[in-house]
Amino acid sequence: MPLAVVASRALQGLQAPPVQVEVHLSGGLPSFCIVGLPDTEVREARERVRSALLNSSLPFPSARRIVVNLAPADLPKESGRFDLPIALGLLAAQGVIDPAALRGHEFAGELSLSGDLRPVHGALAMTCASHAVRESQERLVLPLASAREAALAAPAAVLGAGHLSDVVAYLAGQLDPAELRVSAQPCGAAEPFADLADLRGQAQARRALEIAAAGEHHLLLVGPPGSGKSMLAQRLPGLLPPLSHEQALQSAAMLSLSGSFRAEAWGRRSLRSPHHGCSAAALLGGLGPGGLRPGEVSLAHHGVLFLDELPEFDRRALEGLREPLESRRVHLARAAQRAEFPASFLLVAAMNPCPCGQLGNPARECHCSPAQVTRYRARLSGPLLDRIDLRVEVAALAPDALLELPRGEPSEPVAARVREAARVQRERQGLPNAALDGAALEQHCRVRADARAWLGSALTRMGSSARATHRVLRVARSIADLAGAEAITREHLAEALQLRRALGPA
Ligand SMILES: Nc1ncnc2c1ncn2[C@@H]1O[C@H](COP(=O)(O)OP(=O)(O)OP(=O)(O)O)[C@@H](O)[C@H]1O
Ligand SMILES: [Mg+2]
Ligand SMILES: [Zn+2]
């Protein structure tokens, strides 16, 4: 039959819409053209497919007019992912493989000139997008490395091949599918997160870290150089509850899109710490080779985003953070392309109190003028700070204090309290306290009238806006949950207020 249709998928953000690869052979002047909005890379597929077939001793119809159509035509299609389906379509159209054998399968993979299969980006996203594959009603055939990733989501339905001829042998019934099954390897060999026991003193900052983990509240640490801010931030992911299977898949799918997924990191909270010199595109996402790529905010999905030296970040990057902090997603639109990526991360940011870092340190002198301090802090806009529920000062420890203070409480008991508080939130409201809003906030953060009046006057005394009330209530809810208390008391409110004092009222 001179027409063959092969199922594949494109990649659009985290979506993987289906693509039909139609191959038609006819008489007329020999030619090979690919239609359906392909970019340069897809055009290069012609050369790769031709060489791969010939070098695998498979026939290439050089004497025919070949038309390949990638449908729908209005989808941007990138990378060599369509090489394999195009090659298979050519073979089916020539009668080398039975078109019926292609049914119930999806294929993606880039070919080398010798017919080896090379991995594609976003294999996990493709798998998650295909209901039929996840339900094992269809099989997904991928290059080996991609298949190992995809098998995490659908171990029974994913097949991995190293070479084009393996796929052809399988479709001809000469190779048992069992030979192409790959093992999903969620091996927990990743290095454990650093432990809180290493951190001495800093009771308030530790407490803030625990509350941040318990209610998923964003946290800002303000303190002089060497006070342990980075130590604290690096210990946050180890306090968070384990990822659910679905969350682990989503996190891995994001990392797989940027080609940075590692099997040993399966199920682990990601910790991303981009340097303050990074561009807005690197932080938030932007145009990369072959399309829109997720930024650090999305690679930290379900994990921790650590922004050290927060005021030193590019102004556009800081402004752009507001969207994911508010909606837990980012929308990207560059040239003709659009994509939406999830970005539900826990932000921990660190900064010095002033440009020289020593303001408020009794042991050292600060050399900054008040104007310099104001300018430095003004780099963080009110709306950005407003989204950070916890803002604490981390005091410098005297060198001898470091030697004299005992080791701190280890991470595990803290993580156990956090798990329990997270369970309470899940059962009560189905979302973390930091995400409580509107009616749900009113319902779950109820306080007695006298405590509310007390909070109102305390906020007024501190010069805070009325909006701050909700932030304080959410944090107080987490404090109460950690204490196993059903009702929020004045003590919970007072501690919540105490934990947002750094940098003054907002
Ligand atoms: N509370 C602490 N307990 C144990 N060690 C500490 C503590 N604070 C600081 N240190 C030691 O000081 C080093 C510097 O700490 P860290 O890098 O976390 O400081 P920082 O506040 O991030 O500083 P900077 O502003 O320069 O980034 C740590 O590697 C650790 O050895
Ligand atoms: Mg640091
Ligand atoms: Zn200073």
Short mmCIF file of all heavy atoms in Angstrom, two decimals, residues 302-342:
data_model
loop_
_atom_site.label_atom_id
_atom_site.label_comp_id
_atom_site.label_asym_id
_atom_site.label_seq_id
_atom_site.Cartn_x
_atom_site.Cartn_y
_atom_site.Cartn_z
N HIS A 302 7.10 21.21 42.63
CA HIS A 302 6.97 20.31 43.79
C HIS A 302 8.23 20.22 44.63
O HIS A 302 8.38 19.33 45.46
CB HIS A 302 6.54 18.89 43.38
CG HIS A 302 5.17 18.83 42.79
ND1 HIS A 302 4.09 19.45 43.36
CD2 HIS A 302 4.71 18.23 41.67
CE1 HIS A 302 3.03 19.23 42.61
NE2 HIS A 302 3.38 18.51 41.58
N GLY A 303 9.17 21.14 44.39
CA GLY A 303 10.40 21.13 45.17
C GLY A 303 10.70 22.51 45.73
O GLY A 303 9.78 23.31 45.96
N VAL A 304 11.96 22.79 45.92
CA VAL A 304 12.38 24.03 46.56
C VAL A 304 13.19 24.87 45.57
O VAL A 304 14.08 24.35 44.90
CB VAL A 304 13.24 23.73 47.81
CG1 VAL A 304 13.86 25.00 48.36
CG2 VAL A 304 12.39 23.05 48.88
N LEU A 305 12.85 26.15 45.49
CA LEU A 305 13.63 27.08 44.69
C LEU A 305 14.38 27.99 45.66
O LEU A 305 13.78 28.73 46.43
CB LEU A 305 12.69 27.92 43.81
CG LEU A 305 13.38 28.96 42.92
CD1 LEU A 305 14.21 28.29 41.84
CD2 LEU A 305 12.35 29.89 42.26
N PHE A 306 15.70 27.89 45.65
CA PHE A 306 16.52 28.70 46.56
C PHE A 306 17.13 29.85 45.78
O PHE A 306 17.94 29.65 44.88
CB PHE A 306 17.61 27.82 47.18
CG PHE A 306 18.61 28.58 48.03
CD1 PHE A 306 18.22 29.69 48.78
CD2 PHE A 306 19.94 28.18 48.09
CE1 PHE A 306 19.13 30.39 49.57
CE2 PHE A 306 20.86 28.87 48.88
CZ PHE A 306 20.45 29.98 49.62
N LEU A 307 16.75 31.08 46.13
CA LEU A 307 17.31 32.25 45.48
C LEU A 307 18.19 32.99 46.49
O LEU A 307 17.69 33.69 47.37
CB LEU A 307 16.20 33.17 44.94
CG LEU A 307 15.25 32.53 43.92
CD1 LEU A 307 14.23 33.54 43.42
CD2 LEU A 307 16.03 31.95 42.74
N ASP A 308 19.49 32.79 46.35
CA ASP A 308 20.44 33.41 47.26
C ASP A 308 20.72 34.82 46.74
O ASP A 308 20.72 35.02 45.53
CB ASP A 308 21.73 32.56 47.26
CG ASP A 308 22.51 32.75 48.55
OD1 ASP A 308 22.08 33.56 49.38
OD2 ASP A 308 23.53 32.06 48.71
N GLU A 309 20.98 35.78 47.64
CA GLU A 309 21.22 37.17 47.23
C GLU A 309 20.04 37.69 46.42
O GLU A 309 20.22 38.24 45.33
CB GLU A 309 22.49 37.28 46.36
CG GLU A 309 23.66 36.42 46.79
CD GLU A 309 24.49 37.08 47.87
OE1 GLU A 309 24.13 38.21 48.27
OE2 GLU A 309 25.45 36.46 48.34
N LEU A 310 18.85 37.54 46.95
CA LEU A 310 17.63 37.89 46.21
C LEU A 310 17.65 39.26 45.53
O LEU A 310 17.28 39.37 44.36
CB LEU A 310 16.41 37.76 47.13
CG LEU A 310 15.05 37.93 46.47
CD1 LEU A 310 14.79 36.82 45.46
CD2 LEU A 310 13.92 37.95 47.50
N PRO A 311 18.10 40.35 46.23
CA PRO A 311 18.04 41.66 45.57
C PRO A 311 18.96 41.78 44.37
O PRO A 311 18.83 42.71 43.57
CB PRO A 311 18.49 42.64 46.67
CG PRO A 311 18.37 41.89 47.95
CD PRO A 311 18.60 40.45 47.61
N GLU A 312 19.93 40.85 44.22
CA GLU A 312 20.88 40.95 43.11
C GLU A 312 20.32 40.35 41.82
O GLU A 312 20.94 40.46 40.77
CB GLU A 312 22.19 40.22 43.46
CG GLU A 312 22.84 40.64 44.75
CD GLU A 312 23.43 42.04 44.68
OE1 GLU A 312 23.54 42.58 43.55
OE2 GLU A 312 23.75 42.60 45.74
N PHE A 313 19.15 39.72 41.88
CA PHE A 313 18.59 39.15 40.66
C PHE A 313 18.11 40.25 39.72
O PHE A 313 17.76 41.35 40.16
CB PHE A 313 17.42 38.21 40.99
CG PHE A 313 17.86 36.81 41.33
CD1 PHE A 313 18.35 36.52 42.59
CD2 PHE A 313 17.80 35.79 40.39
CE1 PHE A 313 18.77 35.23 42.91
CE2 PHE A 313 18.22 34.51 40.69
CZ PHE A 313 18.71 34.22 41.96
N ASP A 314 18.12 39.94 38.44
CA ASP A 314 17.64 40.83 37.40
C ASP A 314 16.22 41.30 37.75
O ASP A 314 15.39 40.51 38.19
CB ASP A 314 17.63 40.02 36.10
CG ASP A 314 17.16 40.80 34.91
OD1 ASP A 314 15.92 40.95 34.73
OD2 ASP A 314 18.01 41.27 34.16
N ARG A 315 15.98 42.61 37.53
CA ARG A 315 14.68 43.17 37.92
C ARG A 315 13.52 42.45 37.23
O ARG A 315 12.49 42.15 37.85
CB ARG A 315 14.65 44.65 37.58
CG ARG A 315 13.40 45.37 38.03
CD ARG A 315 13.48 46.85 37.76
NE ARG A 315 14.47 47.50 38.62
CZ ARG A 315 14.22 47.93 39.86
NH1 ARG A 315 13.01 47.78 40.36
NH2 ARG A 315 15.15 48.50 40.58
N ARG A 316 13.70 42.13 35.92
CA ARG A 316 12.61 41.45 35.21
C ARG A 316 12.37 40.05 35.76
O ARG A 316 11.25 39.56 35.80
CB ARG A 316 12.91 41.38 33.71
CG ARG A 316 12.52 42.65 32.96
CD ARG A 316 13.04 42.57 31.56
NE ARG A 316 14.44 42.14 31.61
CZ ARG A 316 15.05 41.43 30.69
NH1 ARG A 316 14.41 41.04 29.62
NH2 ARG A 316 16.32 41.09 30.82
N ALA A 317 13.46 39.43 36.18
CA ALA A 317 13.32 38.09 36.76
C ALA A 317 12.50 38.17 38.05
O ALA A 317 11.59 37.38 38.27
CB ALA A 317 14.70 37.49 37.04
N LEU A 318 12.81 39.18 38.88
CA LEU A 318 12.08 39.32 40.15
C LEU A 318 10.62 39.65 39.91
O LEU A 318 9.73 39.09 40.57
CB LEU A 318 12.73 40.41 41.01
CG LEU A 318 14.10 40.07 41.59
CD1 LEU A 318 14.66 41.24 42.37
CD2 LEU A 318 14.03 38.83 42.47
N GLU A 319 10.36 40.54 38.95
CA GLU A 319 8.96 40.89 38.67
C GLU A 319 8.22 39.67 38.14
O GLU A 319 7.07 39.42 38.50
CB GLU A 319 8.89 42.03 37.65
CG GLU A 319 9.31 43.39 38.22
CD GLU A 319 8.56 43.72 39.50
OE1 GLU A 319 7.31 43.73 39.47
OE2 GLU A 319 9.21 43.93 40.54
N GLY A 320 8.91 38.90 37.29
CA GLY A 320 8.29 37.72 36.69
C GLY A 320 7.97 36.63 37.70
O GLY A 320 7.16 35.75 37.43
N LEU A 321 8.60 36.69 38.85
CA LEU A 321 8.34 35.67 39.88
C LEU A 321 6.93 35.79 40.44
O LEU A 321 6.40 34.84 41.01
CB LEU A 321 9.30 35.87 41.07
CG LEU A 321 10.61 35.13 41.08
CD1 LEU A 321 11.36 35.47 42.35
CD2 LEU A 321 10.38 33.62 41.00
N ARG A 322 6.34 36.97 40.29
CA ARG A 322 5.04 37.18 40.91
C ARG A 322 3.98 36.23 40.36
O ARG A 322 3.17 35.71 41.11
CB ARG A 322 4.60 38.64 40.75
CG ARG A 322 5.34 39.53 41.74
CD ARG A 322 5.34 40.98 41.33
NE ARG A 322 3.99 41.50 41.14
CZ ARG A 322 3.73 42.71 40.74
NH1 ARG A 322 4.73 43.56 40.50
NH2 ARG A 322 2.50 43.12 40.58
N GLU A 323 4.03 35.99 39.05
CA GLU A 323 3.02 35.10 38.46
C GLU A 323 3.07 33.69 39.05
O GLU A 323 2.06 33.21 39.57
CB GLU A 323 3.14 35.06 36.93
CG GLU A 323 1.98 34.27 36.33
CD GLU A 323 2.21 33.80 34.91
OE1 GLU A 323 3.27 34.06 34.34
OE2 GLU A 323 1.30 33.14 34.37
N PRO A 324 4.23 33.02 39.00
CA PRO A 324 4.23 31.66 39.58
C PRO A 324 3.98 31.65 41.09
O PRO A 324 3.37 30.70 41.60
CB PRO A 324 5.62 31.12 39.25
CG PRO A 324 6.44 32.30 38.89
CD PRO A 324 5.50 33.32 38.33
N LEU A 325 4.39 32.71 41.80
CA LEU A 325 4.13 32.72 43.24
C LEU A 325 2.63 32.80 43.51
O LEU A 325 2.12 32.24 44.46
CB LEU A 325 4.84 33.91 43.91
CG LEU A 325 6.35 33.78 44.11
CD1 LEU A 325 6.92 35.06 44.67
CD2 LEU A 325 6.69 32.60 45.00
N GLU A 326 1.94 33.50 42.61
CA GLU A 326 0.50 33.68 42.78
C GLU A 326 -0.29 32.47 42.28
O GLU A 326 -1.14 31.95 42.97
CB GLU A 326 0.07 34.94 42.02
CG GLU A 326 -1.34 35.38 42.29
CD GLU A 326 -1.48 36.06 43.65
OE1 GLU A 326 -0.58 35.96 44.51
OE2 GLU A 326 -2.51 36.68 43.86
N SER A 327 0.03 32.02 41.06
CA SER A 327 -0.84 31.03 40.41
C SER A 327 -0.21 29.65 40.31
O SER A 327 -0.84 28.72 39.83
CB SER A 327 -1.20 31.51 39.01
OG SER A 327 -0.03 31.57 38.22
N ARG A 328 1.03 29.50 40.74
CA ARG A 328 1.75 28.22 40.66
C ARG A 328 1.92 27.72 39.24
O ARG A 328 2.04 26.52 39.00
CB ARG A 328 1.04 27.16 41.52
CG ARG A 328 1.07 27.51 42.99
CD ARG A 328 0.14 26.66 43.80
NE ARG A 328 0.26 27.05 45.21
CZ ARG A 328 0.84 26.31 46.14
NH1 ARG A 328 1.33 25.14 45.84
NH2 ARG A 328 0.91 26.73 47.37
N ARG A 329 1.87 28.64 38.26
CA ARG A 329 2.13 28.28 36.86
C ARG A 329 2.84 29.45 36.20
O ARG A 329 2.82 30.56 36.72
CB ARG A 329 0.84 28.05 36.07
CG ARG A 329 -0.32 27.44 36.81
CD ARG A 329 -1.46 27.06 35.88
NE ARG A 329 -1.02 26.08 34.92
CZ ARG A 329 -0.84 24.79 35.19
NH1 ARG A 329 -1.05 24.34 36.40
NH2 ARG A 329 -0.44 23.96 34.27
N VAL A 330 3.45 29.19 35.03
CA VAL A 330 3.95 30.30 34.21
C VAL A 330 3.42 30.15 32.80
O VAL A 330 3.37 29.04 32.26
CB VAL A 330 5.49 30.38 34.11
CG1 VAL A 330 6.08 31.24 35.18
CG2 VAL A 330 6.13 29.01 34.11
N HIS A 331 3.03 31.27 32.22
CA HIS A 331 2.61 31.29 30.82
C HIS A 331 3.74 31.92 30.04
O HIS A 331 4.20 33.00 30.40
CB HIS A 331 1.36 32.14 30.63
CG HIS A 331 0.16 31.52 31.26
ND1 HIS A 331 -0.17 31.74 32.57
CD2 HIS A 331 -0.76 30.66 30.76
CE1 HIS A 331 -1.26 31.04 32.86
NE2 HIS A 331 -1.63 30.38 31.78
N LEU A 332 4.15 31.27 28.97
CA LEU A 332 5.21 31.82 28.15
C LEU A 332 4.65 32.07 26.76
O LEU A 332 3.89 31.25 26.24
CB LEU A 332 6.39 30.86 28.05
CG LEU A 332 7.05 30.45 29.37
CD1 LEU A 332 8.10 29.39 29.12
CD2 LEU A 332 7.67 31.66 30.04
N ALA A 333 5.02 33.19 26.17
CA ALA A 333 4.65 33.47 24.79
C ALA A 333 5.85 34.13 24.14
O ALA A 333 6.22 35.24 24.51
CB ALA A 333 3.42 34.37 24.73
N ARG A 334 6.49 33.43 23.23
CA ARG A 334 7.66 33.97 22.52
C ARG A 334 7.46 33.70 21.04
O ARG A 334 7.19 32.56 20.66
CB ARG A 334 8.95 33.31 22.96
CG ARG A 334 9.26 33.38 24.44
CD ARG A 334 9.78 34.75 24.85
NE ARG A 334 10.07 34.78 26.28
CZ ARG A 334 9.16 34.88 27.24
NH1 ARG A 334 7.88 34.99 26.93
NH2 ARG A 334 9.51 34.88 28.51
N ALA A 335 7.63 34.73 20.23
CA ALA A 335 7.39 34.62 18.79
C ALA A 335 6.00 34.00 18.60
O ALA A 335 5.06 34.45 19.23
CB ALA A 335 8.48 33.79 18.12
N ALA A 336 5.89 32.94 17.82
CA ALA A 336 4.55 32.37 17.58
C ALA A 336 4.22 31.29 18.59
O ALA A 336 3.17 30.68 18.53
CB ALA A 336 4.49 31.80 16.17
N GLN A 337 5.12 31.04 19.53
CA GLN A 337 4.92 29.89 20.40
C GLN A 337 4.35 30.27 21.76
O GLN A 337 4.68 31.31 22.30
CB GLN A 337 6.24 29.16 20.61
CG GLN A 337 6.84 28.69 19.31
CD GLN A 337 7.94 27.67 19.56
OE1 GLN A 337 7.80 26.81 20.41
NE2 GLN A 337 9.02 27.82 18.84
N ARG A 338 3.54 29.39 22.26
CA ARG A 338 2.96 29.58 23.57
C ARG A 338 3.07 28.29 24.35
O ARG A 338 2.98 27.21 23.79
CB ARG A 338 1.45 29.86 23.44
CG ARG A 338 1.15 31.25 23.20
CD ARG A 338 -0.22 31.53 22.65
NE ARG A 338 -0.13 32.83 22.03
CZ ARG A 338 -0.01 33.96 22.73
NH1 ARG A 338 -0.04 33.94 24.05
NH2 ARG A 338 0.12 35.11 22.13
N ALA A 339 3.27 28.44 25.64
CA ALA A 339 3.28 27.24 26.49
C ALA A 339 2.96 27.65 27.91
O ALA A 339 3.14 28.80 28.31
CB ALA A 339 4.63 26.54 26.43
N GLU A 340 2.46 26.69 28.64
CA GLU A 340 2.18 26.91 30.05
C GLU A 340 2.87 25.78 30.81
O GLU A 340 2.75 24.63 30.45
CB GLU A 340 0.68 26.85 30.27
CG GLU A 340 0.28 27.21 31.67
CD GLU A 340 -1.21 26.97 31.90
OE1 GLU A 340 -2.01 27.79 31.43
OE2 GLU A 340 -1.55 25.97 32.54
N PHE A 341 3.65 26.15 31.82
CA PHE A 341 4.32 25.14 32.62
C PHE A 341 3.88 25.26 34.07
O PHE A 341 3.71 26.37 34.58
CB PHE A 341 5.84 25.34 32.57
CG PHE A 341 6.46 25.05 31.24
CD1 PHE A 341 7.05 26.07 30.52
CD2 PHE A 341 6.43 23.78 30.71
CE1 PHE A 341 7.63 25.82 29.28
CE2 PHE A 341 7.00 23.51 29.47
CZ PHE A 341 7.60 24.54 28.76
N PRO A 342 3.75 24.14 34.76
CA PRO A 342 3.47 24.23 36.19
C PRO A 342 4.70 24.74 36.92
O PRO A 342 5.83 24.54 36.47
CB PRO A 342 3.18 22.77 36.59
CG PRO A 342 3.85 21.95 35.56
CD PRO A 342 3.87 22.76 34.29
#
